[in-house]
Amino acid sequence: MTSSTPERTPRVIGHVVGGRRVEEAQRYGAVHDPATGRVTGRVALASAADVDAAVAAALAAFPGWSRTGLSRRVEILFAFHELLRGHRDEIARLVSAEHGKVVSDAEGEVARALENVEFATGIPHLLKGGFSQQVSTGVDVHEVKQPLGVMVGITPFNFPAMVPLWMIPTAIACGNTFVLKPSERDPSASLLVARLLAEAGLPDGVVNVVQGDRVAVDRLLEHPDVAAISFVGSTPVARHVYETGTRHGKRVQALGGAKNHLVVLPDAELDAAADAAVSAGYGSAGERCMAISVVVAVGDVADALVEAIRTRVAGLVVGPGNDPASQMGPLITAEHRDRVAARVGSAVDEGAVLVLDGRDGPPVGPGADGQDTSGGFFLRPSLVDHVRPEHTVYREEIFGPVLSVVRVETFDDALRLVDENPYGNGAAIFTRDGGAARRFEVEVQAGMVGVNVPIPVPVGYYSFGGWKGSLFGDSHMYGPEGIHFATRTKVVTSRWPDPATSSIDLGFPRTR
């Protein structure tokens, strides 16, 4: 088979603007299959003019959509939910093919996306305002929640289906229109989501998709017709998005990086703690903002815990995401793989102990369909012991299959270590001691906490978000705080007086 055959010709991945597919661009980027390294697509990279067209389409659709009845919005969301369910396998395969995660992991991502659509279908109840009758003689007060206008989502490569569906359902349920700028590394899922929304009956222009890089992002941040921006990504970019967006008068929620700690006390169930550390540390090759990247071993549990983790990691099957036998797939790009490998090397140079070196090991096999994986972006799991807070592997967000073990003497030492870390996305504790667990829950400086659970992503009717350097802005993502972020409150004070009782009164209004 030659590279000119249809199966080997990279397809063009474009935009959706006002319900129309747009594939023409001045610049294109490469989309890879991370398991083989092969280029499988050419993604259009939006210019500022392309962004302007998408925002204009959303702005034009806003008056009609915001006036659309709640029952009709819900009808469309229910139809979309059913279409999403019916295409969940197709979406999972798309995600696996461009991100590299195993298909079962991608299926879990779609399941979490469905939860957020389900939450948004309850919008008639969630948008109920308040009413107070007779606050003063003949005077009533009520409040309503109204949409903002054009909202923007800038989403990361690691969850190309789930994170856009954290944002879109809530935004459009509240009556806003939307422009999505997905990651240019795995953009195809966004087009399928847009297609399913259209099939569900969503009017043209309510949800638009612009592919692109920093050119598109910077134009969205400064565009005068954009009212609000939701972002998920690294902390340096989250800070840029927040500072630039707010400087241009926009409402911004920007979720940044993480360094999630799992504290294991001496009384913990050892097997459960080791299973959790491996599952949460190496799932999706560590490319999760909710991944456990640091195990804090307290007291004399350390040696046994490290050995239990080592035994489990040594047996993990690394391979292409579409192979049912694979437990962990490749990383997203060759450059990212090399950066992660360099951090493993720095840990050794700085004095940590490398229990398992992911840079070593046999080549990854061909997978179930015999594909050539010699050019794939694979890196096997690494386990690093005796890590100290000053080590680079501890200070930086690695975002790869590297699990660090920090040894401390006491529970107080562990809590202090977590709280002094600049990130505050999530933290977990494994223990049988209810008092210690409750104290950890109350005192730890993190936005999401697990007790004998390794940092679970909150279900759709709670909100997702961290503290400290993991969040810029004052609103978490989706759930109740998502409704707050996507609306603004208007308070109406009304009176229908008898003209005979009307008079001029220059005094300050009194409620009696």
Side-chain angles (χ1 to χ4, degrees), residues 18 37 79 85 98 101 108 126 132 221 228 256 275 316 318 343 357 370 375 384 456 483 489:
R85 281 172 54 89
E98 293 184 348
K101 66 177 67 175
L126 299 168
S132 297
L221 295 180
D275 288 343
L316 293 180
V318 178
R343 293 298 175 265
D357 189 345
V384 189
I483 300 292
T489 300

Side-chain angles (χ1 to χ4, degrees), residues 77-78 81 85 111 113-123 126 169:
L77 284 168
F78 270 117
H81 182 270
R85 281 172 54 89
L114 281 163
E115 286 185 8
N116 290 286
V117 181
E118 291 165 6
F119 176 80
T121 60
I123 203 65
L126 299 168

Side-chain angles (χ1 to χ4, degrees), residues 267-289:
D267 70 336
E269 171 55 51
L270 187 67
D271 287 337
D275 288 343
V278 173
S279 300
Y282 301 106
S284 197
E287 292 176 326
R288 293 173 177 162
C289 60

Side-chain angles (χ1 to χ4, degrees), residues 172-214:
I172 64 175
C174 291
N176 301 283
T177 54
F178 203 86
V179 177
L180 173 66
K181 205 302 288 182
S183 171
E184 67 276 21
R185 296 175 184 171
D186 45 10
S188 293
S190 64
L191 297 185
L192 181 50
V193 166
R195 192 193 88 197
L196 297 181
L197 283 164
E199 289 180 14
L202 193 71
D204 291 346
V206 175
V207 171
N208 307 271
V209 180
V210 287
Q211 314 290 354
D213 51 15
R214 181 162 183 161

Side-chain angles (χ1 to χ4, degrees), residues 295-322:
V295 173
V296 184
V298 179
D300 58 10
V301 76
D303 288 341
L305 179 61
V306 169
E307 178 58 23
I309 294 172
R310 186 200 67 78
T311 301
R312 287 161 170 78
V313 175
L316 293 180
V317 178
V318 178
N322 62 0

Side-chain angles (χ1 to χ4, degrees), residues 396-458:
E396 295 185 0
E397 183 184 28
I398 305 300
F399 220 62
V402 181
L403 189 61
S404 299
V405 179
V406 178
R407 299 178 178 227
V408 298
E409 290 298 321
T410 68
F411 173 82
D412 285 339
D413 294 334
L415 188 59
R416 186 179 310 110
L417 180 77
V418 177
D419 288 351
E420 289 178 353
N421 191 275
Y423 296 105
N425 208 46
I429 187 169
F430 272 67
T431 181
R432 290 188 178 97
D433 184 336
R438 187 176 187 281
R439 183 183 165 201
F440 186 83
E441 173 188 337
V442 170
E443 296 183 17
V444 72
Q445 299 297 299
M448 292 168 284
V449 179
V451 176
N452 295 318
V453 176
I455 325 297
V457 175

Side-chain angles (χ1 to χ4, degrees), residues 352-423:
V353 176
L354 199 53
V355 179
L356 288 172
D357 189 345
R359 301 169 298 175
D360 296 337
V364 172
D369 59 1
Q371 66 206 100
D372 179 9
T373 60
S374 60
F377 311 141
F378 292 95
L379 184 66
R380 293 180 180 276
S382 293
L383 178 61
V384 189
D385 194 8
H386 294 282
V387 172
R388 298 192 303 273
E390 63 268 22
H391 288 165
T392 303
V393 74
Y394 178 82
R395 290 186 292 104
E396 295 185 0
E397 183 184 28
I398 305 300
F399 220 62
V402 181
L403 189 61
S404 299
V405 179
V406 178
R407 299 178 178 227
V408 298
E409 290 298 321
T410 68
F411 173 82
D412 285 339
D413 294 334
L415 188 59
R416 186 179 310 110
L417 180 77
V418 177
D419 288 351
E420 289 178 353
N421 191 275
Y423 296 105

Side-chain angles (χ1 to χ4, degrees), residues 124-142:
H125 171 71
L126 299 168
L127 284 184
K128 288 191 299 187
F131 182 87
S132 297
Q133 189 176 60
Q134 201 73 358
V135 298
S136 185
T137 303
V139 176
D140 303 329
V141 176
H142 71 275

